[in-house]
């Protein structure tokens, strides 16, 4: 009989790549992980690991076993969720991950409500971009992820993860309050007017960076002169307010207003992103997961 806990270690090794990473994620020692995998190998009766440089890699037989482990672990998770639902108590641990703006405007208010309404639920917050948080959710390191998706960049979810749309976040032009175009255009600004400006956007490869370049090309007819890169809304708005850059930026981080900047719609047409929550499919009936999701939905609806 194969041990389910050891099957999980094999699945984790396949996903994380090294025994050290598995040990760190599951709070074991590397030697304990190696010992359990050796026991699983004896139970299976075939080699599961082979040397690969300084590490190990899974054999073909192990990869077959991983496929079965995924199914078995999902079924075990469903069973645990059903048992928790039968008990009907919102308790345990709720781990939420999100990037800066959704953390400030969605996660934190939701956690305050959860702490008040469910004192037996321990809420934990992790600051993480969806590129890292969604795979961690699929592995069971998190319970709910707040992510975003730009309209031209559909985000692919890992297997076993469900998406719950929360709100549509419009994108606007932001520029210094005393900028000549802010005085000239009291309503929407044509993007082509910003062709000669210095721009700020996200680090390379991030969704906002790709959206900025794509939107300027398609709607404004130019490639933006990107001089500054940051994911920190405070740094971004400070650079704009200081007259050092312009940007096209989502509305959510601007909630409550920011001194020194002007916010204008994009004249050539609406641009937006979708904000969503993600949970594991196996946790659908779990009261703690339902409570997390209901709390962020309530905050999003108020926005």
């Amino acid at each position: 009989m194969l041990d389910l806990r050891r099957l999980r270690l094999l699945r984790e090794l396949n996903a994380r790549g090294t025994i050290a990473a598995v040990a760190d994620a599951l709070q074991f020692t590397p030697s304990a992980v190696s010992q359990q995998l050796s026991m699983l190998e004896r139970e299976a009766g075939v080699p599961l690991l082979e040397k690969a440089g300084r590490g190990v890699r899974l054999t073909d037989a192990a990869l077959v076993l991983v496929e079965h482990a995924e199914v078995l672990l999902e079924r075990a998770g469903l069973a645990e969720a059903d048992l928790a639902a039968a008990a009907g108590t919102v308790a345990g641990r709720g781990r939420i991950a999100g990037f800066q703006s959704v953390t400030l405007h969605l996660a934190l208010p939701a956690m305050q409500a959860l702490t008040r309404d469910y004192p037996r639920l321990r809420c934990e917050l992790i600051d993480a971009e969806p590129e890292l948080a969604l795979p961690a959710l699929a592995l069971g390191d998190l319970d709910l992820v707040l992510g975003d998706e730009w309209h031209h960049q559909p985000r692919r979810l890992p297997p076993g993860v469900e998406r719950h749309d929360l709100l549509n976040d419009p994108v606007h032009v932001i520029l210094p309050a005393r900028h000549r175009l802010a005085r000239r255009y009291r309503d929407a600004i044509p993007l082509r007017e910003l062709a000669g400006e210095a721009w700020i956007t996200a680090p390379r490869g991030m969704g906002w960076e790709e959206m900025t370049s794509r939107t300027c090309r398609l709607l404004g007819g130019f490639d933006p002169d990107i001089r500054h890169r940051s994911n920190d809304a405070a740094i971004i708005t400070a650079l704009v307010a200081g007259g050092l850059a312009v940007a096209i930026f989502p509305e959510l981080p601007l909630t409550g207003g920011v001194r020194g900047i002007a916010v204008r719609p994009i004249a050539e047409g609406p641009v937006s992103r979708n904000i969503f929550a993600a949970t594991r499919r196996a946790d659908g009936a779990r009261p703690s997961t339902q409570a997390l999701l209901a709390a962020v939905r309530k905050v999003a609806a108020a926005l």
Side-chain angles (χ1 to χ4, degrees), residues 92-284:
R93 183 168 60 162
R95 297 160 296 180
I96 304 174
F99 54 94
Q100 187 185 54
S101 59
V102 294
T103 293
L104 290 173
H105 299 289
L106 290 177
L108 293 185
M111 289 173 63
Q112 290 173 331
L114 288 163
T115 300
R116 180 188 65 243
D117 297 339
Y118 304 107
R120 294 182 60 190
L121 179 64
R122 174 191 169 102
C123 289
E124 300 177 2
L125 177 68
I126 296 93
D127 181 19
E129 297 291 332
E131 288 82 359
L132 297 176
L134 288 169
L137 172 68
L139 287 172
D141 296 342
L142 300 167
D143 299 297
L144 183 142
V145 168
L146 294 169
D148 63 348
E149 176 185 86
W150 300 97
H151 69 280
H152 65 281
Q153 293 174 283
R155 192 178 288 281
R156 186 175 181 179
L157 298 181
V161 170
E162 289 185 320
R163 169 178 168 152
H164 315 273
D165 288 327
L166 297 176
L167 57 89
N168 184 264
D169 192 15
V171 172
H172 305 297
V173 172
I174 60 171
L175 64 168
R178 296 186 178 183
H179 195 284
R180 58 183 177 80
L181 294 176
R183 297 194 299 270
R184 179 179 174 185
Y185 293 98
R186 295 298 179 181
D187 192 13
I189 291 182
L191 272 185
R192 63 179 182 275
E193 295 274 21
L194 299 167
E197 300 291 332
W199 285 73
I200 182 170
T201 188
R204 296 184 188 277
M206 303 299 291
W208 176 38
E209 188 261 353
E210 294 179 14
M211 180 277 296
T212 297
S213 296
R214 180 185 177 93
T215 302
C216 287
R217 290 192 199 106
L218 291 181
L219 301 185
F222 67 94
D223 286 315
D225 176 11
I226 299 172
R227 300 188 192 179
H228 317 290
R229 296 180 183 272
S230 175
N231 267 340
D232 190 307
I235 293 173
I236 294 159
T237 53
L239 278 165
V240 174
L244 298 173
V246 301
I248 46 178
F249 199 55
E251 186 174 276
L252 186 61
L254 305 173
T255 301
V258 180
R259 294 184 62 182
I261 70 170
V263 182
R264 302 286 188 269
I266 299 171
E268 289 87 351
V271 178
S272 65
R273 65 174 175 173
N274 290 319
I275 305 295
F276 64 89
T279 58
R280 286 187 302 279
R281 189 178 300 116
D283 288 341

